[in-house]
Coordinates of all heavy atoms in Angstrom, one line a residue:
M581 N -44.4 0.2 7.3 CA -43.6 0.8 6.2 C -42.1 0.6 6.5 O -41.7 -0.5 6.9 CB -44.0 2.3 6.2 CG -45.5 2.6 6.1 SD -46.2 2.4 4.5 CE -45.8 4.0 3.8
Y582 N -41.4 1.6 6.4 CA -39.9 1.5 6.6 C -39.6 1.1 8.0 O -40.2 1.5 9.0 CB -39.3 2.9 6.4 CG -37.8 3.0 6.3 CD1 -37.0 2.0 5.7 CD2 -37.2 4.1 6.9 CE1 -35.7 2.1 5.6 CE2 -35.8 4.2 6.8 CZ -35.0 3.2 6.2 OH -33.7 3.3 6.2
H583 N -38.6 0.2 8.2 CA -38.2 -0.3 9.5 C -39.3 -1.1 10.1 O -39.6 -1.0 11.3 CB -37.7 0.8 10.4 CG -36.4 1.4 10.0 ND1 -36.0 2.6 10.4 CD2 -35.4 0.9 9.2 CE1 -34.8 2.9 9.8 NE2 -34.4 1.8 9.1
S584 N -39.9 -2.1 9.4 CA -40.8 -3.0 10.0 C -40.3 -4.4 9.8 O -39.4 -4.6 9.0 CB -42.2 -2.9 9.4 OG -42.2 -3.1 8.0
T585 N -40.8 -5.4 10.5 CA -40.3 -6.7 10.5 C -41.4 -7.8 10.6 O -42.5 -7.5 11.0 CB -39.3 -7.0 11.7 OG1 -40.0 -6.8 12.9 CG2 -38.1 -6.0 11.7
A586 N -41.0 -9.0 10.2 CA -42.0 -10.2 10.3 C -41.2 -11.4 10.7 O -40.1 -11.7 10.0 CB -42.8 -10.3 9.1
N587 N -41.6 -12.2 11.6 CA -40.9 -13.4 12.1 C -41.9 -14.5 12.4 O -42.9 -14.3 13.0 CB -40.1 -13.1 13.4 CG -39.0 -12.1 13.2 OD1 -39.3 -10.9 13.1 ND2 -37.8 -12.6 13.2
L588 N -41.5 -15.7 12.0 CA -42.3 -16.9 12.3 C -42.2 -17.2 13.8 O -41.1 -17.2 14.3 CB -41.8 -18.1 11.5 CG -42.5 -19.5 11.8 CD1 -44.0 -19.4 11.4 CD2 -41.8 -20.6 11.1
L589 N -43.3 -17.5 14.4 CA -43.4 -17.9 15.8 C -43.5 -19.4 16.0 O -44.0 -20.1 15.1 CB -44.5 -17.2 16.6 CG -44.4 -15.7 16.6 CD1 -45.7 -15.1 17.3 CD2 -43.2 -15.2 17.3
P590 N -43.1 -20.0 17.1 CA -43.2 -21.4 17.3 C -44.6 -22.0 17.2 O -44.8 -23.1 16.9 CB -42.6 -21.6 18.7 CG -41.7 -20.5 18.9 CD -42.4 -19.3 18.2
D591 N -45.6 -21.1 17.5 CA -47.0 -21.6 17.4 C -47.6 -21.5 16.0 O -48.8 -21.8 15.7 CB -47.9 -20.9 18.4 CG -48.0 -19.4 18.2 OD1 -47.5 -18.9 17.1 OD2 -48.6 -18.8 19.0
G592 N -46.8 -21.1 15.0 CA -47.2 -21.0 13.6 C -47.7 -19.7 13.2 O -47.9 -19.4 12.0
R593 N -47.9 -18.7 14.1 CA -48.3 -17.4 13.8 C -47.1 -16.6 13.3 O -45.9 -17.1 13.4 CB -48.9 -16.6 15.0 CG -50.2 -17.2 15.5 CD -50.7 -16.5 16.7 NE -49.7 -16.5 17.8 CZ -49.8 -15.8 18.9 NH1 -50.8 -15.0 19.1 NH2 -48.9 -15.9 19.9
V594 N -47.3 -15.5 12.7 CA -46.2 -14.6 12.3 C -46.3 -13.3 13.0 O -47.3 -12.6 13.0 CB -46.3 -14.3 10.7 CG1 -45.3 -13.3 10.3 CG2 -46.1 -15.6 10.0
L595 N -45.2 -13.0 13.7 CA -45.2 -11.7 14.5 C -44.8 -10.6 13.6 O -43.8 -10.7 12.8 CB -44.1 -11.9 15.6 CG -44.0 -10.7 16.6 CD1 -44.5 -11.1 17.9 CD2 -42.6 -10.2 16.7
V596 N -45.5 -9.5 13.7 CA -45.3 -8.3 12.8 C -45.1 -7.2 13.8 O -45.8 -6.9 14.7 CB -46.5 -8.1 11.9 CG1 -46.2 -6.8 11.0 CG2 -46.8 -9.3 11.1
A597 N -43.9 -6.4 13.6 CA -43.6 -5.4 14.5 C -42.9 -4.2 13.7 O -42.6 -4.4 12.5 CB -42.6 -5.9 15.5
G598 N -42.8 -3.1 14.4 CA -42.0 -2.0 13.8 C -42.8 -1.2 12.8 O -44.0 -1.3 12.7
S599 N -42.1 -0.3 12.2 CA -42.5 0.7 11.2 C -42.3 2.1 11.8 O -43.1 2.5 12.6 CB -44.0 0.6 10.8 OG -44.3 1.5 9.7
N600 N -41.2 2.7 11.3 CA -41.0 4.1 11.7 C -40.4 4.8 10.5 O -39.1 4.8 10.4 CB -40.0 4.2 12.9 CG -39.9 5.6 13.4 OD1 -40.7 6.5 13.1 ND2 -38.8 5.9 14.2
P601 N -41.2 5.4 9.7 CA -40.7 6.1 8.5 C -40.0 7.5 8.8 O -39.8 8.2 7.9 CB -41.9 6.3 7.6 CG -43.0 5.6 8.3 CD -42.6 5.5 9.8
H602 N -39.7 7.7 10.1 CA -39.2 9.1 10.5 C -37.9 9.0 11.2 O -37.5 7.9 11.7 CB -40.2 9.7 11.4 CG -41.7 9.6 10.9 ND1 -42.1 10.3 9.8 CD2 -42.7 8.8 11.3 CE1 -43.4 9.9 9.6 NE2 -43.8 9.1 10.5
V603 N -37.1 10.1 11.1 CA -35.8 10.1 11.8 C -35.9 9.9 13.3 O -35.1 9.2 13.9 CB -35.1 11.5 11.5 CG1 -33.8 11.5 12.2 CG2 -34.9 11.7 10.0
F604 N -37.0 10.5 13.9 CA -37.2 10.3 15.3 C -38.6 9.7 15.5 O -39.3 9.4 14.5 CB -37.1 11.6 16.1 CG -35.7 12.2 15.9 CD1 -35.5 13.4 15.3 CD2 -34.6 11.5 16.4 CE1 -34.2 14.0 15.2 CE2 -33.3 12.1 16.3 CZ -33.1 13.3 15.7

Side-chain angles (χ1 to χ4, degrees):
M581 311 277 276
Y582 188 42
H583 289 157
S584 57
T585 59
N587 297 73
L588 177 66
L589 297 178
D591 63 7
R593 296 178 299 171
V594 173
L595 183 112
V596 181
S599 186
N600 186 17
H602 314 289
V603 177
F604 301 115

